[in-house]
Amino acid sequence: MLATSKFIEIKLEDLLDDGISNNLEILINKCITWSQELRDKGFLNIVNELLINYKSSSIIQDSDLNLNLFQLSEIVEIELINNDFNLNLVCNWYKNQLDHILRISTGEDFLTKDYNLQNGINLSTIHSSKGLEFEIVLCPYLSIISNKSNKIKGPLWKSNIDRNIYINISNNYAKVEKFKLIEEEDLFKESERLIYVALTRSKYKLVVFNDLEGANNIFNDLLNNLENININTSTFEVRIEKEKIKEIFSKYQTNRLNNILWKINNVNKKISNEFNSDQFISYSSYSSWIRKDKNVDAVINQYKDYEDNISIINESILRNSKNYPNYFSYPNPLSEFPKGTIAGTCLHKIIERFEFRNDNNHELIDLIIEELSFHQIDTSFAFKVKDAILRIINIPLGSELQNKKLVDIPNEYLIKELKYDLPLSYEGRNINSNDISKCFFLDQEYEFGEEYANKINDLQIMNKGFHSGCIDCVFPLGNKFEDSKWWVIDWKSNLISGSDNSDCLPRNYNYENMRNEMIKHHYPLQSHLYLLALHRLLKWRLKNYQPNKHLGGYIYLFLKGLPDFELFEKSKSKDLSPGIFIGKAPLKRINYLDNLF
């Protein structure tokens, strides 16, 4: 069915020909690969990849069908997340939604969105406007987005930490109060994201109606951080004379309504078979971008997430490398830990949930066992994972970061899993690989310059809409908070080894090998996108923000390459530990990307 649908458009009679069977086999293998990558890439990105790979002109050229498809994909993706990507549950749910009697998905979010008003006024919610741009945008209701919620009520509360249900017998019940606080913080962040989406829909002019005196108006808290704005306060008297009303009315009155403004252009247009990417507004991520660099047939590349995390280094290169201390040849605790996407996700989740300053090893072990069980990984790895976590938080981060350790950073200063959306459009057109590659010709004294810029051109990036991502960790470092530099951290579970079966040895994670690993997986591009997102966050939220003063850089921690932290400290080495790759923020590049995106 997929092969003969508008996605692929293979004629039914052609499927019976021997010459086409190879294409069908490739499609089957692609579907297998996509099913394995679903949790990592998301349903929206897979639909987007399907359209681009097969140049589905019948969908792309039909704006109604294209937008409806992505609206449906967004609904399905939310259901997948809510059901932990259980395809059977979501499939049954979808079948029920096709039956008007069994359907439970009702309300505004499930109504077909209409974006066809080409010469008129388009009324939409903030959610509905995601990925779209307009010449002029008016936001009349941002002031009613409150920093207080009236919905934080109810007797039953579910913990996202231990997944248990708690009954709020008393408002003073400590655990429920903690859940309420987390819920309030989540709602506040969601409100900020909504406002950000609203403020970035305009190409040329944005008009916001605001209640400056609103006590719980979240927009007032953000107003001081906006640039290039003109604030006009109303000077109307409480009572206006009738003559004044008539004067205002006559000023804006027209003899008749120009119906052309309100007509929807429903003229049938001939659909071209040619793929025009400029007309395609897509949803993208770093993962979807870098996969375009893997010019490997789907049959060979079925398990690429597993294979791409492994780099085999020539043994002679390892032998001829710098003489390292003996303990750099001791295997890392994660040597035997499973490889692949699920195992990497499990490690990320453990680090995300663990409070670095919590020295209760029993609680850490309980957390690890819970996540190992949830991800269906043998719980016998628990103590090895605990040792690896202790290395992560206790290894010094080098002189650039005052030799601080993650355990030295107060928990309230650590921001984990920071999600962001970057609008993609440069002067109304798609952003492409060449646009992005130009930034790496700047700041040539920093890592990854002209050599890497040429590699980016292989990615075939061509996108509008939103580029979404999530930073593993962000934190400030300095003697005073207002003078601190802000850094991003990304946890990497890559294996750099001398052979398929050898252990994870810290000596394998030297500067040269890590740099090659960074380039291989396009981590330089990822790190610059992270810094751009952090730059915009600080510009919006940090008073008197100055990039040269406050933007630190990026840290990539290769979890399987960290040495024993106690032996490393005893050695009093002034070198940066294996497994840690640090780069300072290249401000000219970030400024270029800030102007480009």
Side-chain angles (χ1 to χ4, degrees), residues 552-594:
Y554 55 88
I555 305 165
Y556 276 67
L557 278 183
F558 290 85
L559 309 182
K560 295 182 178 181
L562 297 175
D564 186 306
F565 66 91
E566 292 179 340
L567 294 176
F568 185 80
E569 285 194 297
K570 285 180 181 177
S571 71
K572 297 182 179 179
S573 173
K574 295 182 180 180
D575 294 331
L576 191 60
S577 165
I580 302 178
F581 195 97
I582 294 178
K584 293 193 292 185
L587 299 183
K588 290 181 181 178
R589 296 181 190 173
I590 303 306
N591 185 59
Y592 171 85
L593 291 174
D594 194 27

Side-chain angles (χ1 to χ4, degrees), residues 295-427:
N295 297 318
V296 184
D297 186 84
V299 178
I300 302 173
N301 208 27
Q302 277 188 32
Y303 305 101
K304 61 184 178 183
D305 279 339
Y306 173 81
E307 294 174 351
D308 279 355
N309 280 334
I310 301 176
S311 291
I312 307 301
I313 308 300
N314 190 301
E315 288 283 4
S316 62
I317 296 177
L318 294 176
R319 285 194 297 269
N320 295 331
S321 60
K322 175 182 175 181
N323 292 324
Y324 294 109
N326 288 335
Y327 69 90
F328 280 12
S329 297
Y330 300 164
N332 183 279
L334 296 177
S335 280
E336 298 177 2
F337 195 75
K339 305 170 185 66
T341 304
I342 294 176
T345 301
C346 179
L347 290 175
H348 274 70
K349 194 65 179 178
I350 292 169
I351 299 172
E352 175 192 344
R353 291 179 56 190
F354 177 55
E355 292 188 359
F356 296 160
R357 287 192 162 187
N358 184 351
D359 57 0
N360 188 325
N361 284 337
H362 294 295
E363 290 186 6
L364 176 55
I365 287 292
D366 289 343
L367 186 158
I368 292 171
I369 290 176
E370 182 182 330
E371 287 298 334
L372 290 175
S373 300
F374 181 78
H375 290 88
Q376 300 181 357
I377 297 174
D378 191 342
T379 54
S380 64
F381 287 110
F383 286 94
K384 292 288 188 181
V385 174
K386 183 208 76 171
D387 292 342
I389 296 296
L390 294 180
R391 291 192 181 193
I392 293 168
I393 65 174
N394 286 291
I395 201 74
L397 297 175
S399 57
E400 191 64 45
L401 284 93
Q402 306 169 22
N403 285 312
K404 294 285 187 181
K405 311 168 186 175
L406 287 175
V407 74
D408 297 329
I409 312 298
N411 289 326
E412 60 269 23
Y413 284 4
L414 291 167
I415 306 174
K416 296 181 181 179
E417 299 301 308
L418 179 62
K419 297 179 181 179
Y420 64 85
D421 293 300
L422 297 172
L424 299 179
S425 179
Y426 181 62
E427 296 181 349

Side-chain angles (χ1 to χ4, degrees), residues 144-149 184 188 191 214-219 221:
I144 67 173
I145 300 179
S146 174
N147 56 17
K148 300 290 183 182
S149 174
E184 284 279 9
F188 183 83
S191 297
N216 296 326
N217 179 4
I218 187 176
F219 187 64
D221 299 333

Side-chain angles (χ1 to χ4, degrees), residues 250-308:
S250 62
K251 181 178 179 180
Y252 295 101
Q253 188 178 23
T254 57
N255 294 327
R256 63 183 181 87
L257 183 65
N258 185 353
N259 290 324
I260 297 176
L261 291 175
W262 302 92
K263 284 184 178 178
I264 298 175
N265 186 359
N266 285 325
V267 178
N268 292 326
K269 297 179 180 179
K270 184 177 179 181
I271 297 176
S272 170
N273 289 325
E274 295 183 2
F275 174 70
N276 185 354
S277 59
D278 286 338
Q279 299 176 9
F280 185 40
I281 297 177
S282 63
Y283 301 79
S284 64
S285 66
Y286 154 77
S287 299
S288 66
W289 278 1
I290 67 167
R291 278 174 174 79
K292 296 171 186 175
D293 191 30
K294 314 297 182 186
N295 297 318
V296 184
D297 186 84
V299 178
I300 302 173
N301 208 27
Q302 277 188 32
Y303 305 101
K304 61 184 178 183
D305 279 339
Y306 173 81
E307 294 174 351
D308 279 355

Side-chain angles (χ1 to χ4, degrees), residues 189-200:
K189 291 176 182 177
E190 176 60 23
S191 297
E192 284 189 326
R193 286 194 287 269
L194 274 178
I195 291 176
Y196 176 76
V197 170
L199 297 181
T200 53

Side-chain angles (χ1 to χ4, degrees), residues 124-174:
S124 72
T125 63
I126 299 176
H127 284 292
S128 301
S129 68
K130 282 187 177 181
L132 300 176
E133 287 184 320
F134 306 93
E135 306 290 323
I136 300 174
V137 172
L138 282 77
C139 300
Y141 300 120
L142 291 186
S143 60
I144 67 173
I145 300 179
S146 174
N147 56 17
K148 300 290 183 182
S149 174
N150 296 322
K151 298 180 181 179
I152 312 300
K153 298 178 181 179
L156 296 178
W157 289 80
K158 182 177 180 181
S159 168
N160 290 328
I161 300 174
D162 57 19
R163 300 182 178 88
N164 289 330
I165 301 292
Y166 293 87
I167 300 176
N168 185 17
I169 298 175
S170 167
N171 280 336
N172 293 322
Y173 188 40

